[in-house]
Amino acid sequence: MMRSDLTYIYVTWHDAHSGSETWTNVRELDQEPVLVRTAGFLLPESDGGKVGHITIFQSITPNDDVDHVLHIPVKMVQSFKCIQINFADEVVSPPRV
């Protein structure tokens, strides 16, 4: 994957979640969806993303190692926005203090 091909995205999605922490009467179970907001770099299926999912990662190295990878099933996605496309391919060093 080329660094200039990185796409930063923002996804709102319904999460699978626990309905109770202990024995609970079925009439008292939580019925509301849990809405989650996630932002990160998109990993397309063509570059290793999981089929049927939106795959997001937090960081990438020059060797294409990624971390904090999240696979969100497409059917759980409520909205999807591209925040920025085509980041510069150069690495900028922080200023010296």
Side-chain angles (χ1 to χ4, degrees):
M1 175 186 314
M2 297 182 59
R3 297 308 155 287
S4 60
D5 292 341
L6 293 177
T7 301
Y8 196 77
I9 62 171
Y10 177 83
V11 182
T12 303
W13 54 287
H14 284 165
D15 193 12
H17 63 284
S18 176
S20 69
E21 296 177 15
T22 185
W23 286 97
T24 305
N25 186 286
V26 294
R27 291 178 293 281
E28 296 173 9
L29 291 174
D30 175 21
Q31 299 298 316
E32 297 300 316
V34 173
L35 195 63
V36 179
R37 295 176 181 98
T38 301
F41 294 104
L42 175 66
L43 183 62
E45 290 179 11
S46 60
D47 289 332
K50 189 172 184 176
V51 175
H53 293 71
I54 292 178
T55 301
I56 298 175
F57 62 91
Q58 173 184 304
S59 303
I60 188 167
T61 69
N63 295 328
D64 284 343
D65 297 322
V66 295
D67 74 340
H68 293 88
V69 177
L70 184 61
H71 303 290
I72 302 170
V74 170
K75 291 184 178 185
M76 297 178 96
V77 173
Q78 302 301 299
S79 67
F80 176 99
K81 297 176 183 176
C82 292
I83 304 301
Q84 186 172 357
I85 302 174
N86 298 327
F87 283 90
D89 197 23
E90 60 204 46
V91 175
V92 179
S93 299
R96 290 190 169 177
V97 179

